[in-house]
Amino acid sequence: MKIAVLRRLAVAAGIAALLSSTVVAEEPVRGGTLITTLPQTPRHLNPAVQSGIVTGAPGAQLFAAPLRYDEDWTPQPYLAESWAWSDDGLSMTLNLVQGATFHDGEPITSEDVAFSVETIKANHPFKTMFGVVEAVETPDDHTAVLKLSQPHPALLLAMSSQLMPIIPKHIYGDGQDPKSHPRNGQDVVGSGPFKFVEFTADQQVILERNDDFFIEGRPYLDRIVYRIIKDASARAIGMENGELHMTTFENTVRNIKRMSENDDLVATDEGYAAIGPINWLAFNTGSDGPLADKRVRQAIAYAIDKNFILNAIMLGLSQESKTGIHPGSPLYYPDVNGYDLDIDKANALLDEAGYEKGADGIRFSLTIDHGNPTTKPQAEFTKASLAKVGIDVTVNSFVDFPTWANKISNHDFDMTWDTVFNWGDPVIGVHRTYDSQNIKEGVIWSNTQQYANERIDELMAAAGQEIDPDKRAALYKEFQEILADDLPVYWTNTLPYHTIYNKKVGNPPLGIWSSSSPYDLVFLKE
Amino acid sequence: MGFLVVLAQRTLYGLLLLLAVLVLNFTMINLAPGDVVDTIAADMGGASAELVAQIRAEYGLDQPVIVQLGNYVWRVFQFDLGQSYFYNRPVTEMIFERLPATLLLVFSAQIFALVVGILLGVFAAQRPNGILSHIVTLFALFGYAAPVFWTGILLLIAFSLKIPLFPVAGMRDVTVEGFFPQALSVAHHLVLPMLTLGSIFIALYSRLCRASMLEVLGSDYVRTAKAKGLSPRDVTMKHALKNALPPVVTLAGLQFSAVISGAVLVETVFSWPGLGQLALTSILARDTPTILGILFFSALVVIVGNLLTDLMLRLIDPRVRGKA
Amino acid sequence: MSEQTHLKARSPFAEAFEMFRRNHAAVAGLVILLAIIGVAVLGPVLYPGNPFDMVWAPFTPPGTEGYLLGTDYLGRDLLSLLIHGARVSLTVGLAAAFVTVTIGITIGALAGFYRGWVEEVLMRLTEFFQVLPTLLFSMVIVALFGASLLMITIAIGLVSWPAVARITRAEFLRIRELEYVTAARAGGVRNGGLMFRVILPNALPPIIVQAALMVGSAILFEAGLSFLGLTDPNVASWGQIIGSNRQYILDASYTVTVPGIAIFVTVLAISLVGDGLNDALNPKLRER
């Protein structure tokens, strides 16, 4: 654990790290309206039935979760004042704080916890989170016991605001479909530090302080206004001219760099470890073509100069990610082959695989499909890089997501640049990419690479149930070593997500869940 | 009476056009690969096969296209544009939320372009071959020839970033309370988008105004007016302009489709919360009911805009008033 | 008025040419336009190399390291992109104008020539396309059926033809009643011949002006689609350069300003030429 923290500190901008520690020491002030941003309009505000960061950010203010996390991945009490595993790892007991109420004054009880878990299990897209929860027992109003069919260490991370909001049974348990419940987007009744005021699509979400919040004296802010601004440059101008106090999930590197040079602003990449966004070049290993050969995939990795991506495209603002687990995670294992640029080796591997250069200098042709505009530089860079080893690449850009997703998820592609999130524990966001049981036509971000390796399947099954952190880390070490050699996916870097905040903002959300964590500690200095 | 019949005919015909718009686009959208469920799954950071199938069934997307089309048209006849797949809200509700913003932008830009265009046109017509006249014409052309989003970005950099006179995004300041301060805030936010969108059409209006002024100024009755000893100012304003206006207004009426197109781009640049932004999102998300709803309402704006132009022409042009 | 008598002696073509030549703005526009076309045609020879090659560090400012216009977000030579982009943008402009004019003339000619129910149906169709919001409709087409240049060209043509159809129809309605048409009809010329060999040549002047202006608006239209991200990434049109560099506007604004200026100058030149053509070919104006 410590190593991961140290590394993260070293990689993160040193100044930002220093600043965040001094900020904590400052005396919080009550009052004020925090103006922050959302990069797109959320479908609605209920994270129990909707994943994603734009629902997660206001969702974490509206709804409290059993646990919250600091920047060291350490769980802290939140709605649960204490929690405990049973010795066999088959049950988790949560003791809820006394006297907590929903925004409409109804008490928050263990019934609501049980209802929330059931709702999430039935409706949330991440089935692995609560799939093994067989029942939630409620011996009294303040005790909830989650019964599991097998040990499930990922549960701890799943109990944070992004993934396990506690929603009121008396509102959402009225028999309507929770996925399209009218109270998901309007008149939301939550359990968190801020209450719903207004949600206008393409304009703003406005929240105000919950005076009856279960933590005495908090939150500090009177109001939070999330302005929905899709254009990254517009957000940057807004930060620079003082219209906005804070913006999260920024990934336009030039703008980040620019804002970081502004004396009033602080830019930091802290806070995105649990979200765990990774850029990668995915290979269709199940195709009949050259990509079925591991050596070809390795050769492609050797031919692409990762340093160009890290330093020229990302301007040094993102971290290298050698595996599918985010480098901010304690389970990341960095001592695997990173495929540094080696054109000779790439050529040798391609020759060895039987793909000699033709008379025109070309070995074979491939396509790159990309549906996410942010990976366009990588796609074009790959085209130029692979030309040097005799692979002719055509870039197909898809302007709308469905067309791209349809192609990829039906395995009708050679290569694609993509961005995929870890979502906390590997069980939630990592396994899906490599699990041979998860090769499912028509489902995007399943194992669309059609990669199958028995040992990998075994390792994932074992690690998913391993309670002992050290043993678990060892399983994931082997997992990452095998994958780095098989290379169904060539991982290059983390997304350069940054939080930029005005120095007026105290206690910005720099824990592992970034803006999807409660803002009860955030304040505005006067 | 005659006018009412014309109005009724045009309304009925307009409705038929709208229906055709819906059927054509519905069919087209359903011919393309992929659907909204992929976007919903993406928005959630991935989804299981079960969930994907479940959502598809809920929206009836697993049925044959012809059945879906039938259901859709039947609902439209009952004045129901359906639910947005993506936002799970009634399409009409979502459109009415944004329509005011788009209408405000479109009409204020039109009025701005008309006023400036007519002023420039009148000015240029005074001395049609003077240097100033040429400069005015060329200046007006700038707005036409520059890509509108590019003009917007340049204005944004100049007047939001370098000289922070205007807000960078959105339509109002949510921290402002009270009706008048809020109206003022909206006006403040409106300035740059309006200038940007209006700039495309200034050239068009000023050139036509100039040409039609020249035509009128050369006509007999203006010469008569001059001979009667009216001041040049009176001749210009009272006689010439009055007769030069109808063609300009007619042209403005024909531009509504183009103005809405420009509005889509301007809304994107200035994060203006209108239909354009919703359109882009829902086209990219393949949110069929919302796309169709937006096309429906933008076509409606064009049709109503044309009708209004007719009405205006009747008010300002006695010749049209005579013919029903 | 003395000019008029002077001009009357020559052929209509020479007359038009003379009118055009006297219009300084139009001549300037033509010169600029020819220069841009020259660049588009000869550019790859004068400035060889693949514009997609990464040649230097990204965002090298203009004028440094030997790159006149600097490099873009991938370290590609902006000048090279711009030169190759001229070819693409002009091609899209011309092709879209061609599609527009072809559809427009066909529909307008049929409607104006045959009148009756043919005219009724075709004009309803024209109105249908006129109430469709042009950009929104073409966004739908491009988003659904792929952002290739061909699809973009078709989309632009598909939403732009009604103006041409209306002009053609009006001209046909006017000309079909003229004496020489009646004479030709009496002389046994068939409908097809009447339409395309007798009437069309005389209906062409306003259509030519409209077509010229269409090239400009198609270039703008393509740029707009590119700005929204609806663009073909495998070719570098000016609009595409703007679209892909858009997010860097704050810092490296030249990557957007420069192609913007290219579009602006081209469209301006085209409309000046269009104006000149209009004055030269429009007999009504000539009389003044």
Side-chain angles (χ1 to χ4, degrees):
Chain A
M1 209 88 118
K2 246 184 193 147
I3 295 168
V5 175
L6 281 177
R7 179 153 25 87
R8 230 151 33 79
L9 281 179
V11 176
I15 298 168
L18 272 175
L19 257 170
S20 69
S21 54
T22 52
V23 159
V24 175
E26 203 163 326
E27 191 60 38
V29 195
R30 233 176 126 90
T33 298
L34 178 81
I35 316 273
T36 180
T37 64
L38 292 176
Q40 66 191 72
T41 301
R43 294 183 71 209
H44 57 72
L45 307 177
N46 184 357
V49 294
Q50 169 76 36
S51 176
I53 53 179
V54 284
T55 295
Q61 317 317 321
L62 288 165
F63 298 98
L67 304 179
R68 63 197 293 169
Y69 280 81
D70 64 10
E71 56 271 29
D72 302 332
W73 297 77
T74 318
Q76 310 279 345
Y78 191 28
L79 196 52
E81 55 187 11
S82 64
W83 62 97
W85 285 112
S86 63
D87 289 340
D88 57 4
L90 289 175
S91 78
M92 159 65 73
T93 304
L94 299 174
N95 300 304
L96 306 181
V97 291
Q98 304 276 338
T101 56
F102 287 109
H103 296 163
D104 61 357
E106 296 287 323
I108 303 174
T109 68
S110 52
E111 280 293 325
D112 295 301
V113 174
F115 172 73
S116 301
V117 170
E118 283 159 20
T119 306
I120 296 165
K121 187 180 168 184
N123 297 289
H124 197 282
F126 300 160
K127 296 295 172 203
T128 49
M129 276 193 312
F130 297 115
V132 296
V133 178
E134 290 188 314
V136 182
E137 290 171 3
T138 52
D140 64 58
D141 274 1
H142 297 99
T143 312
V145 184
L146 281 68
K147 293 287 184 187
L148 313 177
S149 60
Q150 63 177 54
H152 185 51
L155 186 64
L156 269 183
L157 269 165
M159 289 198 292
S160 36
S161 295
Q162 170 80 42
L163 302 172
M164 189 175 162
I166 299 304
I167 58 174
K169 185 180 183 181
H170 63 276
I171 304 277
Y172 294 98
D174 61 0
Q176 299 191 61
D177 181 355
K179 282 199 293 300
S180 54
H181 200 284
R183 303 291 285 272
N184 285 346
Q186 297 299 329
D187 304 321
V188 184
V189 172
S191 46
F194 291 90
K195 294 194 288 190
F196 178 86
V197 178
E198 181 196 316
F199 169 29
T200 314
D202 280 346
Q203 296 200 44
Q204 63 262 328
V205 178
I206 304 177
L207 311 177
E208 67 179 7
R209 175 173 41 221
N210 171 14
D211 285 320
D212 300 320
F213 187 49
F214 56 83
I215 301 176
E216 202 60 44
R218 291 197 216 148
Y220 299 126
L221 294 166
D222 287 341
R223 280 183 162 226
I224 303 175
V225 174
Y226 291 92
R227 291 189 52 192
I228 299 164
I229 306 177
K230 291 173 194 160
D231 188 272
S233 301
R235 293 195 298 271
I237 297 177
M239 285 302 296
E240 287 189 34
N241 71 15
E243 269 181 82
L244 305 169
H245 293 128
M246 180 168 79
T247 178
T248 54
F249 284 92
E250 290 299 333
N251 66 353
T252 312
V253 284
R254 301 294 299 192
N255 289 343
I256 297 170
K257 199 111 197 158
R258 193 187 155 91
M259 288 187 273
S260 70
E261 282 156 10
N262 188 310
D263 288 341
D264 297 331
L265 307 178
V266 179
T268 171
D269 67 350
E270 275 198 74
Y272 298 94
I275 308 280
I278 298 175
N279 269 340
W280 72 46
L281 178 67
F283 303 111
N284 186 354
T285 67
S287 69
D288 303 330
L291 290 173
D293 192 323
K294 176 167 101 178
R295 289 167 299 191
V296 172
R297 304 196 293 266
Q298 291 173 339
I300 290 173
Y302 278 121
I304 298 171
D305 184 4
K306 197 190 270 178
N307 277 321
F308 184 89
I309 294 176
L310 288 169
N311 296 321
I313 297 179
M314 295 298 165
L315 297 180
L317 291 170
S318 72
Q319 307 167 44
E320 180 179 14
S321 188
K322 290 180 179 174
T323 81
I325 296 180
H326 191 275
S329 164
L331 295 169
Y332 178 64
Y333 181 70
D335 297 326
V336 296
N337 189 352
Y339 297 93
D340 291 329
L341 179 70
D342 192 337
I343 299 283
D344 295 337
K345 202 157 184 174
N347 277 317
L349 279 164
L350 289 168
D351 288 339
E352 189 188 318
Y355 296 100
E356 303 279 343
K357 277 188 185 172
D360 51 358
I362 292 175
R363 299 174 192 273
F364 51 85
S365 297
L366 292 174
T367 57
I368 296 181
D369 297 314
H370 79 103
N372 181 344
T374 58
T375 54
K376 194 166 160 183
Q378 284 93 320
E380 291 181 7
F381 177 63
T382 307
K383 176 188 166 93
S385 302
L386 296 190
K388 290 177 188 156
V389 294
I391 302 175
D392 172 54
V393 173
T394 308
V395 177
N396 296 320
S397 148
F398 292 86
V399 290
D400 72 320
F401 186 85
T403 315
W404 173 80
N406 193 275
K407 204 157 185 276
I408 305 301
S409 64
N410 288 302
H411 311 142
D412 175 24
F413 73 107
D414 292 337
M415 302 187 281
T416 184
W417 273 100
D418 204 355
T419 303
V420 181
F421 290 10
N422 275 186
W423 293 119
D425 196 276
V427 168
I428 304 172
V430 177
H431 288 195
R432 54 180 174 168
T433 312
Y434 314 101
D435 185 350
S436 68
Q437 295 298 305
N438 199 30
I439 303 177
K440 289 186 174 157
E441 268 188 31
V443 182
I444 192 63
W445 295 325
S446 59
N447 182 353
T448 47
Q449 290 68 239
Q450 308 188 66
Y451 171 70
N453 180 321
E454 263 178 51
R455 181 62 191 151
I456 288 291
D457 289 347
E458 280 168 25
L459 285 167
M460 287 191 296
Q465 303 185 34
E466 182 53 66
I467 298 279
D468 184 294
D470 293 332
K471 285 186 191 156
R472 197 163 188 241
L475 291 169
Y476 278 122
K477 169 174 176 280
E478 190 187 342
F479 168 80
Q480 291 171 78
E481 280 172 336
I482 296 175
L483 283 178
D485 185 58
D486 274 354
L487 220 65
V489 158
Y490 175 42
W491 315 269
T492 51
N493 58 288
T494 64
L495 230 64
Y497 278 146
H498 274 65
T499 298
I500 292 98
Y501 57 94
N502 196 296
K503 286 181 181 162
K504 276 191 227 163
V505 177
N507 291 337
L510 303 178
I512 56 170
W513 286 107
S514 185
S515 54
S516 298
S517 49
Y519 283 9
D520 55 336
L521 286 163
V522 180
F523 65 96
L524 284 171
K525 306 168 202 170
E526 270 326 309
Chain B
M1 180 61 201
F3 174 65
L4 280 183
V5 172
V6 173
L7 188 73
Q9 274 178 347
R10 303 240 348 221
T11 311
L12 187 71
Y13 176 57
L15 287 176
L16 281 176
L17 276 182
L18 288 174
L19 191 67
V21 168
L22 290 180
V23 173
L24 172 79
N25 285 287
F26 187 96
T27 316
M28 220 172 67
I29 294 170
N30 279 289
L31 284 178
D35 62 30
V36 68
V37 181
D38 295 318
T39 327
I40 294 174
D43 206 56
M44 293 185 159
S48 64
E50 297 80 9
L51 191 69
V52 165
Q54 188 192 338
I55 299 174
R56 253 182 208 128
E58 266 168 35
Y59 293 149
L61 293 169
D62 49 352
Q63 292 172 4
V65 173
I66 188 77
V67 176
Q68 292 185 45
L69 176 65
N71 288 341
Y72 182 74
V73 171
W74 175 237
R75 270 190 285 116
V76 172
F77 272 121
Q78 298 165 298
F79 301 104
D80 176 11
L81 285 173
Q83 292 267 121
S84 156
Y85 295 152
F86 194 71
Y87 292 112
N88 259 320
R89 294 177 54 203
V91 168
T92 27
E93 190 183 304
M94 287 168 46
I95 288 177
F96 282 133
E97 237 172 48
R98 292 170 173 83
L99 199 57
T102 296
L103 290 181
L104 180 64
L105 176 62
V106 162
F107 279 98
S108 62
Q110 275 277 48
I111 290 167
F112 165 73
L114 271 172
V115 169
V116 176
I118 289 169
L119 285 179
L120 288 181
V122 169
F123 178 75
Q126 300 299 304
R127 276 200 207 133
N129 292 314
I131 291 188
L132 270 178
S133 167
H134 285 303
I135 291 178
V136 164
T137 330
L138 202 68
F139 169 76
L141 262 182
F142 277 17
Y144 164 75
V148 62
F149 55 90
W150 186 72
T151 315
I153 291 173
L154 295 187
L155 286 177
L156 202 61
I157 292 181
F159 299 110
S160 271
L161 183 69
K162 303 281 185 213
I163 316 165
L165 287 179
F166 297 102
V168 60
M171 185 171 161
R172 66 190 168 100
D173 183 344
V174 287
T175 55
V176 171
E177 307 275 347
F179 177 77
F180 281 107
Q182 283 205 359
L184 212 64
S185 165
V186 171
H188 188 211
H189 283 73
L190 180 62
V191 174
L192 290 185
M194 179 190 75
L195 290 180
T196 311
L197 184 55
S199 73
I200 323 174
F201 300 96
I202 292 178
L204 216 53
Y205 302 155
S206 70
R207 281 143 57 97
L208 186 65
C209 180
R210 172 176 175 271
S212 100
M213 281 292 282
L214 286 176
E215 198 164 337
V216 179
L217 284 172
S219 67
D220 289 341
Y221 76 96
V222 171
R223 281 186 208 152
T224 320
K226 273 188 194 156
K228 277 197 296 187
L230 282 178
S231 73
R233 196 190 140 93
D234 279 357
V235 171
T236 308
M237 299 319 283
K238 288 203 179 131
H239 295 270
L241 184 57
K242 203 174 157 195
N243 285 285
L245 269 188
V248 181
V249 172
T250 310
L251 181 71
L254 288 174
Q255 296 307 310
F256 271 101
S257 170
V259 184
I260 290 177
S261 297
V264 174
L265 295 166
V266 172
E267 285 178 9
T268 310
V269 173
F270 293 99
S271 308
W272 187 259
L275 280 183
Q277 280 216 58
L278 183 65
L280 187 61
T281 322
S282 34
I283 287 174
L284 295 183
R286 203 64 62 76
D287 188 354
T288 315
T290 313
I291 304 174
L292 293 174
I294 293 167
L295 286 168
F296 181 89
F297 272 93
S298 355
L300 191 66
V301 172
V302 175
I303 290 173
V304 172
N306 291 347
L307 265 177
L308 286 179
T309 315
D310 270 14
L311 287 178
M312 268 200 40
L313 280 177
R314 277 161 202 281
L315 285 178
I316 59 173
D317 189 350
R319 279 167 297 178
V320 182
R321 215 179 301 161
K323 308 175 225 161
Chain C
M1 290 299 132
S2 62
E3 277 176 42
Q4 199 184 337
T5 36
H6 168 67
L7 287 173
K8 272 237 164 94
R10 307 206 197 157
S11 76
F13 177 77
E15 211 173 297
F17 179 76
E18 183 62 24
M19 275 297 288
F20 189 91
R21 202 183 61 80
R22 279 162 186 275
N23 186 335
H24 298 304
V27 172
L30 187 64
V31 170
I32 297 172
L33 195 59
L34 287 176
I36 294 168
I37 293 173
V39 167
V41 175
L42 300 174
V45 183
L46 299 175
Y47 205 90
N50 184 347
F52 281 104
D53 282 347
M54 277 152 253
V55 292
W56 206 255
F59 298 113
T60 309
T64 48
E65 313 288 353
Y67 295 102
L68 189 63
L69 296 179
T71 61
D72 78 346
Y73 70 111
L74 276 182
R76 303 178 301 194
D77 185 353
L78 203 59
L79 181 61
S80 173
L81 282 166
L82 209 62
I83 289 172
H84 284 78
R87 190 172 263 214
V88 180
S89 286
L90 287 180
T91 312
V92 171
L94 287 170
F98 180 76
V99 174
T100 305
V101 170
T102 312
I103 304 179
I105 287 185
T106 313
I107 301 232
L110 288 175
F113 186 80
Y114 286 106
R115 314 281 319 253
W117 67 268
V118 177
E119 182 181 23
E120 189 69 19
V121 169
L122 291 179
M123 285 341 276
R124 291 294 166 263
L125 186 70
T126 313
E127 273 170 42
F128 170 72
F129 274 89
Q130 265 181 327
V131 301
L132 267 182
T134 47
L135 187 67
L136 287 177
F137 186 59
S138 48
M139 280 162 68
V140 173
I141 298 178
V142 175
L144 294 186
F145 298 105
S148 65
L149 278 189
L150 180 69
M151 204 44 82
I152 290 169
T153 307
I154 292 174
I156 298 174
L158 215 52
V159 297
S160 315
W161 61 264
V164 178
R166 284 184 170 272
I167 293 171
T168 313
R169 169 175 162 271
E171 286 296 295
F172 265 64
L173 287 179
R174 184 176 64 83
I175 297 170
R176 76 193 291 272
E177 306 300 339
L178 295 182
E179 267 173 38
Y180 72 93
V181 180
T182 325
R185 197 193 296 267
V189 180
R190 282 161 176 263
N191 282 346
L194 271 183
M195 262 201 285
F196 293 108
R197 268 183 280 122
V198 180
I199 305 183
L200 186 59
N202 291 287
L204 273 182
I207 301 175
I208 291 174
V209 174
Q210 184 66 25
L213 295 176
M214 254 316 294
V215 178
S217 48
I219 291 175
L220 286 174
F221 209 113
E222 190 271 339
L225 286 172
S226 298
F227 173 74
L228 296 173
L230 301 166
T231 175
D232 186 343
N234 293 307
V235 287
S237 75
W238 289 335
Q240 200 260 351
I241 304 174
I242 298 185
S244 58
N245 284 288
R246 171 192 170 193
Q247 51 173 323
Y248 311 106
I249 179 84
L250 282 187
D251 233 18
S253 54
Y254 65 91
T255 53
V256 169
T257 323
V258 170
I261 290 172
I263 294 175
F264 170 67
V265 170
T266 310
V267 177
L268 191 63
I270 291 173
S271 39
L272 290 176
V273 171
D275 280 357
L277 282 176
N278 192 31
D279 292 352
L281 294 173
N282 190 339
K284 212 171 111 199
L285 269 180
R286 217 181 298 156
E287 276 160 25
R288 242 196 264 134

